[in-house]
Amino acid sequence: MKKQASTLTNPAWQKNTVLFISSQAITLFGSSIVQMAIIWQVALETSSGLWITLLSLSGTLPQLIVSFFGGVLADRYARKKPIILADSFIAVVTFMLAMVILIGRTADLLPWLLVVSMLRSLGSGIQTPAVSAVIPQIVPEEHLIRYNGINSSMLAIVQFAAPAVAGAILSLAPFYVILLLDVLTAIIGLLILLFVVIPYQKPEPSKEKVSFFSDMKSGVSYAAKNSLVRKTLLAFGTFIFLCTPSGFLSVLMIERIFGDSYMYLSVNEMAGFAGMVVGGLILGMWGGFKTRQKTMALGLICYGLFSVLLGFVDKFWLFVALMFMISFFIPVVQSSATTLLQENVPEEKLGRVFSLFGIMYNGFMPLGMAFFGPLADKVEIQFPVIFCGIAILVLGFKLLFDLNVSGKATLP
């Protein structure tokens, strides 16, 4: 069902959108620096795979669980409120840890880092569905995919810069300085957000007031029963699962094929981030095909093709070129799926649907790591890379075939 247009009719929507993008990019930049610094701190103190695993779980599982509640909050209340609440909560938690470290009350810092990572993850679970649901309220529908493409580039730039900034600060200042920097970026982001005009979304029609859990259940039920939403979520989750070998396990390929050189690893990371930035920017300028599924199919087919080719290379320059192209099509797939939901889900259900969208990413990615990681120790990593590339190709061609046959919006 086509969503009724409810975006701002204010001609200054571009300024409003820039303010919103800027506020979220600034807060994400601070959060990314802190998350990187925490991982490095734990790695340097323990050199333990177990502690790194615990830290990874503490940073993902709470967000995965609380996303259900975050989606309901985003649909029940003015969406600026949960964003401000979550950002403020994360800033307060981070500030408290900085003060604890500053006064020297951390005989053992590791448990504190785990707890703070969990609490920050809870805040992200509340914030993320609301942020995704706000976008179609402030961006006209015809510009949604352009916005999502540009936003993907912005996020990639932030994630690319965060490790360098974290490393520079840690080499010059104590750990708590990075925590205070995150608090400062949160304050700046919140101040900018205050100037963003976000229309209050219409409430979901209901003859009687329903409970919080009934709202949650109705959101899940809607996603399960609506064919377009259900298949979009499943297609995106399947893509995230299948791209694990070529995306997240590329470090193993480099080490096993080209050797354990930090230069190789750095060049690979730079190529990946550059591909995402360029891909998002080009999508932002182009706008994709009129049919979002066609754009998504293009992204899947190209990602799958370059992933298959990646499994056969033995020259590093070619490996880097293919990693750039693989990363180029990640924002194409993600932005197309995001826009597809934004354009077709009723405004009053967007928060809950995007909580499920986030769960697809935060759930299928560790699931892929848990499956393909151990498998990579049993077989050559090239085999799962090639196999998953073929599977992504099939997924893309199936989407394109169904679209051509039906002539309307369908997903495999």
Side-chain angles (χ1 to χ4, degrees):
M1 181 179 67
K2 192 71 174 175
K3 179 175 71 68
Q4 295 296 318
S6 60
T7 54
L8 285 178
T9 56
N10 187 338
W13 70 266
Q14 295 98 331
K15 178 182 177 182
N16 204 48
T17 303
V18 168
L19 287 174
F20 185 72
I21 292 176
S22 301
S23 71
Q24 296 309 299
I26 290 171
T27 55
L28 176 64
F29 182 62
S31 295
S32 299
I33 292 175
V34 167
Q35 194 60 31
M36 188 65 61
I38 289 176
I39 292 173
W40 288 351
Q41 190 76 18
V42 171
L44 290 174
E45 285 198 20
T46 67
S47 188
S48 166
L50 176 61
W51 271 102
I52 296 297
T53 300
L54 290 174
L55 185 65
S56 299
L57 292 175
S58 70
T60 55
L61 286 183
Q63 180 176 351
L64 188 67
I65 296 170
V66 82
S67 288
F68 286 108
F69 301 93
V72 176
L73 288 174
D75 288 338
R76 279 199 169 196
Y77 306 103
R79 285 168 180 154
K80 188 184 287 189
K81 290 182 179 179
I83 297 174
I84 293 175
L85 175 66
D87 267 340
S88 301
F89 174 74
I90 293 172
V92 169
V93 168
T94 306
F95 180 76
M96 291 175 64
L97 176 61
M99 291 300 99
V100 168
I101 296 174
L102 191 59
I103 63 178
R105 294 295 181 88
T106 53
D108 187 358
L109 185 59
L110 296 178
W112 288 91
L113 294 178
L114 282 180
V115 171
V116 167
S117 182
M118 290 177 61
L119 294 175
R120 288 171 59 88
S121 180
L122 288 173
S124 297
I126 297 295
Q127 180 185 22
T128 303
V131 169
S132 298
V134 160
I135 294 170
Q137 289 183 266
I138 64 175
V139 179
E141 187 171 293
E142 64 270 21
H143 296 293
L144 273 175
I145 197 165
R146 297 179 186 274
Y147 165 87
N148 287 321
I150 294 171
N151 191 49
S152 294
S153 294
M154 180 76 74
L155 297 181
I157 292 171
V158 167
Q159 292 168 350
F160 178 74
V165 174
I169 295 176
L170 286 176
S171 65
L172 300 172
F175 179 69
Y176 66 82
V177 172
I178 279 189
L179 301 177
L180 294 177
L181 177 62
D182 182 43
V183 176
L184 177 62
T185 56
I187 293 173
I188 295 173
L190 287 171
L191 289 175
I192 295 175
L193 184 62
L194 293 177
F195 293 95
V196 178
V197 180
I198 303 175
Y200 184 74
Q201 69 273 13
K202 61 181 180 180
E204 186 171 5
S206 177
K207 294 182 180 180
E208 57 182 17
K209 188 174 179 62
V210 297
S211 70
F212 194 87
F213 287 97
S214 295
D215 253 357
M216 187 189 306
K217 182 180 177 181
S218 69
V220 175
S221 176
Y222 167 80
K225 292 178 181 178
N226 185 294
S227 177
L228 182 64
V229 174
R230 182 182 70 249
K231 292 176 180 179
T232 301
L233 292 173
L234 290 177
F236 181 71
T238 302
F239 167 71
I240 294 298
F241 178 80
L242 292 173
C243 75
T244 302
S246 55
F248 299 101
L249 297 180
S250 61
V251 175
L252 287 178
M253 290 186 67
I254 292 174
E255 190 273 332
R256 294 177 184 180
I257 299 173
F258 307 108
D260 53 352
S261 167
Y262 286 113
M263 183 190 71
Y264 288 155
L265 297 176
S266 299
V267 171
N268 178 61
E269 289 296 321
M270 291 172 62
F273 280 118
M276 292 181 66
V277 171
V278 175
L281 288 176
I282 289 180
L283 182 63
M285 292 185 290
W286 169 39
F289 297 111
K290 185 176 180 180
T291 304
R292 304 308 180 201
Q293 293 92 329
K294 191 174 181 180
T295 309
M296 188 174 177
L298 171 69
L300 290 169
I301 291 169
C302 292
Y303 186 102
L305 174 62
F306 288 119
S307 181
V308 171
L309 295 175
L310 188 72
F312 291 98
V313 302
D314 58 1
K315 291 180 173 59
F316 184 68
W317 68 267
L318 186 54
F319 184 94
V320 171
L322 288 172
M323 281 303 301
F324 175 88
M325 295 308 301
I326 285 174
S327 302
F328 180 97
F329 288 100
I330 291 176
V332 175
V333 175
Q334 186 167 353
S335 297
S336 300
T338 300
T339 306
L340 190 60
L341 295 175
Q342 289 169 342
E343 290 178 343
N344 290 279
V345 175
E347 183 181 287
E348 65 273 13
K349 289 184 171 68
L350 271 172
R352 282 164 289 177
V353 168
F354 272 106
S355 72
L356 295 173
F357 188 76
I359 287 170
M360 289 296 105
Y361 181 85
N362 292 311
F364 277 85
M365 183 184 68
L367 185 64
M369 293 290 288
F371 179 79
F372 291 111
L375 181 64
D377 291 333
K378 305 293 184 182
V379 301
E380 291 187 14
I381 186 65
Q382 290 92 328
F383 290 132
V385 168
I386 295 169
F387 173 80
C388 289
I390 293 173
I392 294 173
L393 271 171
V394 171
L395 182 64
F397 278 118
K398 181 66 164 61
L399 170 56
L400 196 59
F401 176 78
D402 287 353
L403 186 60
N404 289 334
V405 169
S406 65
K408 61 182 181 178
T410 57
L411 282 167

mmCIF file of all heavy atoms in Angstrom, residues 212-238:
data_model
loop_
_atom_site.group_PDB
_atom_site.id
_atom_site.type_symbol
_atom_site.label_atom_id
_atom_site.label_comp_id
_atom_site.label_asym_id
_atom_site.label_seq_id
_atom_site.Cartn_x
_atom_site.Cartn_y
_atom_site.Cartn_z
ATOM 1 N N PHE A 212 1.494 -1.123 25.567
ATOM 2 C CA PHE A 212 2.796 -0.985 24.913
ATOM 3 C C PHE A 212 3.136 -2.259 24.147
ATOM 4 O O PHE A 212 3.577 -2.216 22.999
ATOM 5 C CB PHE A 212 3.852 -0.702 25.980
ATOM 6 C CG PHE A 212 5.152 -0.215 25.441
ATOM 7 C CD1 PHE A 212 5.370 1.132 25.215
ATOM 8 C CD2 PHE A 212 6.178 -1.098 25.145
ATOM 9 C CE1 PHE A 212 6.577 1.596 24.718
ATOM 10 C CE2 PHE A 212 7.392 -0.659 24.648
ATOM 11 C CZ PHE A 212 7.581 0.699 24.434
ATOM 12 N N PHE A 213 2.916 -3.415 24.775
ATOM 13 C CA PHE A 213 3.261 -4.686 24.143
ATOM 14 C C PHE A 213 2.300 -5.019 23.004
ATOM 15 O O PHE A 213 2.686 -5.673 22.036
ATOM 16 C CB PHE A 213 3.276 -5.812 25.185
ATOM 17 C CG PHE A 213 4.460 -5.750 26.095
ATOM 18 C CD1 PHE A 213 4.355 -5.156 27.340
ATOM 19 C CD2 PHE A 213 5.686 -6.258 25.704
ATOM 20 C CE1 PHE A 213 5.460 -5.083 28.184
ATOM 21 C CE2 PHE A 213 6.798 -6.187 26.532
ATOM 22 C CZ PHE A 213 6.677 -5.599 27.781
ATOM 23 N N SER A 214 1.072 -4.564 23.090
ATOM 24 C CA SER A 214 0.131 -4.764 21.978
ATOM 25 C C SER A 214 0.574 -3.968 20.764
ATOM 26 O O SER A 214 0.474 -4.431 19.622
ATOM 27 C CB SER A 214 -1.280 -4.343 22.392
ATOM 28 O OG SER A 214 -1.769 -5.174 23.420
ATOM 29 N N ASP A 215 1.075 -2.757 21.012
ATOM 30 C CA ASP A 215 1.621 -1.948 19.927
ATOM 31 C C ASP A 215 2.795 -2.660 19.260
ATOM 32 O O ASP A 215 2.925 -2.675 18.034
ATOM 33 C CB ASP A 215 2.099 -0.597 20.481
ATOM 34 C CG ASP A 215 1.165 0.527 20.075
ATOM 35 O OD1 ASP A 215 0.204 0.260 19.335
ATOM 36 O OD2 ASP A 215 1.399 1.672 20.501
ATOM 37 N N MET A 216 3.669 -3.226 20.086
ATOM 38 C CA MET A 216 4.827 -3.941 19.563
ATOM 39 C C MET A 216 4.379 -5.132 18.726
ATOM 40 O O MET A 216 4.881 -5.361 17.617
ATOM 41 C CB MET A 216 5.711 -4.422 20.720
ATOM 42 C CG MET A 216 7.031 -5.036 20.305
ATOM 43 S SD MET A 216 7.885 -5.794 21.714
ATOM 44 C CE MET A 216 7.933 -4.426 22.865
ATOM 45 N N LYS A 217 3.424 -5.874 19.253
ATOM 46 C CA LYS A 217 2.918 -7.062 18.553
ATOM 47 C C LYS A 217 2.263 -6.680 17.235
ATOM 48 O O LYS A 217 2.439 -7.366 16.216
ATOM 49 C CB LYS A 217 1.920 -7.791 19.450
ATOM 50 C CG LYS A 217 1.366 -9.069 18.839
ATOM 51 C CD LYS A 217 0.383 -9.750 19.786
ATOM 52 C CE LYS A 217 -0.216 -10.992 19.148
ATOM 53 N NZ LYS A 217 -1.204 -11.649 20.057
ATOM 54 N N SER A 218 1.515 -5.570 17.212
ATOM 55 C CA SER A 218 0.835 -5.166 15.981
ATOM 56 C C SER A 218 1.845 -4.756 14.913
ATOM 57 O O SER A 218 1.621 -4.974 13.722
ATOM 58 C CB SER A 218 -0.130 -4.014 16.261
ATOM 59 O OG SER A 218 0.564 -2.817 16.574
ATOM 60 N N GLY A 219 2.991 -4.169 15.342
ATOM 61 C CA GLY A 219 4.031 -3.809 14.385
ATOM 62 C C GLY A 219 4.662 -5.023 13.749
ATOM 63 O O GLY A 219 4.873 -5.069 12.531
ATOM 64 N N VAL A 220 4.959 -6.035 14.561
ATOM 65 C CA VAL A 220 5.534 -7.276 14.045
ATOM 66 C C VAL A 220 4.527 -7.979 13.142
ATOM 67 O O VAL A 220 4.881 -8.512 12.084
ATOM 68 C CB VAL A 220 5.958 -8.197 15.203
ATOM 69 C CG1 VAL A 220 6.446 -9.541 14.677
ATOM 70 C CG2 VAL A 220 7.045 -7.539 16.044
ATOM 71 N N SER A 221 3.259 -7.967 13.560
ATOM 72 C CA SER A 221 2.208 -8.615 12.767
ATOM 73 C C SER A 221 2.050 -7.928 11.408
ATOM 74 O O SER A 221 1.889 -8.596 10.378
ATOM 75 C CB SER A 221 0.884 -8.574 13.540
ATOM 76 O OG SER A 221 -0.168 -9.107 12.773
ATOM 77 N N TYR A 222 2.108 -6.612 11.416
ATOM 78 C CA TYR A 222 2.002 -5.873 10.147
ATOM 79 C C TYR A 222 3.133 -6.250 9.205
ATOM 80 O O TYR A 222 2.914 -6.507 8.013
ATOM 81 C CB TYR A 222 2.026 -4.361 10.421
ATOM 82 C CG TYR A 222 2.227 -3.535 9.168
ATOM 83 C CD1 TYR A 222 1.157 -3.280 8.312
ATOM 84 C CD2 TYR A 222 3.482 -3.031 8.828
ATOM 85 C CE1 TYR A 222 1.334 -2.541 7.150
ATOM 86 C CE2 TYR A 222 3.668 -2.290 7.677
ATOM 87 C CZ TYR A 222 2.590 -2.053 6.831
ATOM 88 O OH TYR A 222 2.773 -1.333 5.682
ATOM 89 N N ALA A 223 4.359 -6.285 9.732
ATOM 90 C CA ALA A 223 5.516 -6.621 8.900
ATOM 91 C C ALA A 223 5.416 -8.045 8.367
ATOM 92 O O ALA A 223 5.827 -8.329 7.236
ATOM 93 C CB ALA A 223 6.807 -6.441 9.691
ATOM 94 N N ALA A 224 4.874 -8.957 9.168
ATOM 95 C CA ALA A 224 4.769 -10.354 8.747
ATOM 96 C C ALA A 224 3.686 -10.551 7.690
ATOM 97 O O ALA A 224 3.846 -11.368 6.772
ATOM 98 C CB ALA A 224 4.480 -11.239 9.963
ATOM 99 N N LYS A 225 2.602 -9.778 7.784
ATOM 100 C CA LYS A 225 1.479 -9.970 6.879
ATOM 101 C C LYS A 225 1.618 -9.178 5.578
ATOM 102 O O LYS A 225 1.085 -9.578 4.541
ATOM 103 C CB LYS A 225 0.172 -9.580 7.580
ATOM 104 C CG LYS A 225 -0.214 -10.522 8.706
ATOM 105 C CD LYS A 225 -1.500 -10.062 9.388
ATOM 106 C CE LYS A 225 -1.882 -11.006 10.534
ATOM 107 N NZ LYS A 225 -3.102 -10.538 11.241
ATOM 108 N N ASN A 226 2.312 -8.048 5.636
ATOM 109 C CA ASN A 226 2.486 -7.233 4.435
ATOM 110 C C ASN A 226 3.602 -7.838 3.591
ATOM 111 O O ASN A 226 4.764 -7.862 3.975
ATOM 112 C CB ASN A 226 2.835 -5.792 4.825
ATOM 113 C CG ASN A 226 2.901 -4.872 3.621
ATOM 114 O OD1 ASN A 226 3.755 -5.011 2.763
ATOM 115 N ND2 ASN A 226 1.980 -3.914 3.570
ATOM 116 N N SER A 227 3.248 -8.330 2.407
ATOM 117 C CA SER A 227 4.200 -9.069 1.579
ATOM 118 C C SER A 227 5.415 -8.229 1.207
ATOM 119 O O SER A 227 6.554 -8.700 1.274
ATOM 120 C CB SER A 227 3.498 -9.561 0.309
ATOM 121 O OG SER A 227 4.404 -10.209 -0.546
ATOM 122 N N LEU A 228 5.195 -6.985 0.811
ATOM 123 C CA LEU A 228 6.297 -6.125 0.387
ATOM 124 C C LEU A 228 7.271 -5.864 1.529
ATOM 125 O O LEU A 228 8.492 -5.966 1.373
ATOM 126 C CB LEU A 228 5.750 -4.804 -0.159
ATOM 127 C CG LEU A 228 6.793 -3.819 -0.692
ATOM 128 C CD1 LEU A 228 7.512 -4.399 -1.899
ATOM 129 C CD2 LEU A 228 6.134 -2.487 -1.044
ATOM 130 N N VAL A 229 6.732 -5.548 2.712
ATOM 131 C CA VAL A 229 7.583 -5.267 3.881
ATOM 132 C C VAL A 229 8.308 -6.523 4.323
ATOM 133 O O VAL A 229 9.526 -6.504 4.576
ATOM 134 C CB VAL A 229 6.729 -4.699 5.036
ATOM 135 C CG1 VAL A 229 7.576 -4.540 6.295
ATOM 136 C CG2 VAL A 229 6.122 -3.359 4.642
ATOM 137 N N ARG A 230 7.580 -7.624 4.423
ATOM 138 C CA ARG A 230 8.187 -8.883 4.877
ATOM 139 C C ARG A 230 9.334 -9.305 3.965
ATOM 140 O O ARG A 230 10.430 -9.645 4.436
ATOM 141 C CB ARG A 230 7.121 -9.985 4.911
ATOM 142 C CG ARG A 230 7.658 -11.331 5.413
ATOM 143 C CD ARG A 230 6.590 -12.407 5.385
ATOM 144 N NE ARG A 230 6.222 -12.806 4.029
ATOM 145 C CZ ARG A 230 5.048 -12.539 3.458
ATOM 146 N NH1 ARG A 230 4.124 -11.875 4.112
ATOM 147 N NH2 ARG A 230 4.792 -12.957 2.230
ATOM 148 N N LYS A 231 9.105 -9.265 2.666
ATOM 149 C CA LYS A 231 10.124 -9.729 1.729
ATOM 150 C C LYS A 231 11.305 -8.756 1.625
ATOM 151 O O LYS A 231 12.430 -9.178 1.379
ATOM 152 C CB LYS A 231 9.490 -9.983 0.360
ATOM 153 C CG LYS A 231 8.531 -11.169 0.385
ATOM 154 C CD LYS A 231 7.834 -11.365 -0.955
ATOM 155 C CE LYS A 231 6.883 -12.554 -0.907
ATOM 156 N NZ LYS A 231 6.180 -12.762 -2.189
ATOM 157 N N THR A 232 11.027 -7.465 1.821
ATOM 158 C CA THR A 232 12.128 -6.497 1.846
ATOM 159 C C THR A 232 13.036 -6.758 3.033
ATOM 160 O O THR A 232 14.271 -6.773 2.911
ATOM 161 C CB THR A 232 11.587 -5.062 1.913
ATOM 162 O OG1 THR A 232 10.759 -4.799 0.780
ATOM 163 C CG2 THR A 232 12.728 -4.051 1.935
ATOM 164 N N LEU A 233 12.446 -6.964 4.197
ATOM 165 C CA LEU A 233 13.227 -7.242 5.408
ATOM 166 C C LEU A 233 14.028 -8.527 5.259
ATOM 167 O O LEU A 233 15.215 -8.578 5.607
ATOM 168 C CB LEU A 233 12.307 -7.318 6.627
ATOM 169 C CG LEU A 233 11.631 -6.014 7.061
ATOM 170 C CD1 LEU A 233 10.619 -6.283 8.173
ATOM 171 C CD2 LEU A 233 12.666 -4.997 7.525
ATOM 172 N N LEU A 234 13.376 -9.573 4.743
ATOM 173 C CA LEU A 234 14.065 -10.853 4.599
ATOM 174 C C LEU A 234 15.167 -10.781 3.546
ATOM 175 O O LEU A 234 16.244 -11.368 3.718
ATOM 176 C CB LEU A 234 13.057 -11.949 4.241
ATOM 177 C CG LEU A 234 12.083 -12.353 5.352
ATOM 178 C CD1 LEU A 234 11.084 -13.390 4.841
ATOM 179 C CD2 LEU A 234 12.833 -12.898 6.565
ATOM 180 N N ALA A 235 14.915 -10.064 2.434
ATOM 181 C CA ALA A 235 15.939 -9.926 1.401
ATOM 182 C C ALA A 235 17.148 -9.179 1.934
ATOM 183 O O ALA A 235 18.302 -9.553 1.679
ATOM 184 C CB ALA A 235 15.364 -9.210 0.174
ATOM 185 N N PHE A 236 16.904 -8.118 2.713
ATOM 186 C CA PHE A 236 18.006 -7.353 3.279
ATOM 187 C C PHE A 236 18.778 -8.185 4.305
ATOM 188 O O PHE A 236 20.017 -8.193 4.318
ATOM 189 C CB PHE A 236 17.478 -6.079 3.941
ATOM 190 C CG PHE A 236 18.561 -5.226 4.538
ATOM 191 C CD1 PHE A 236 19.439 -4.522 3.738
ATOM 192 C CD2 PHE A 236 18.704 -5.129 5.918
ATOM 193 C CE1 PHE A 236 20.439 -3.730 4.287
ATOM 194 C CE2 PHE A 236 19.700 -4.341 6.474
ATOM 195 C CZ PHE A 236 20.569 -3.645 5.661
ATOM 196 N N GLY A 237 18.050 -8.906 5.166
ATOM 197 C CA GLY A 237 18.714 -9.763 6.144
ATOM 198 C C GLY A 237 19.535 -10.855 5.476
ATOM 199 O O GLY A 237 20.651 -11.163 5.914
ATOM 200 N N THR A 238 18.997 -11.437 4.415
ATOM 201 C CA THR A 238 19.733 -12.471 3.666
ATOM 202 C C THR A 238 21.002 -11.895 3.056
ATOM 203 O O THR A 238 22.067 -12.532 3.079
ATOM 204 C CB THR A 238 18.841 -13.058 2.559
ATOM 205 O OG1 THR A 238 17.653 -13.606 3.138
ATOM 206 C CG2 THR A 238 19.574 -14.160 1.795
#
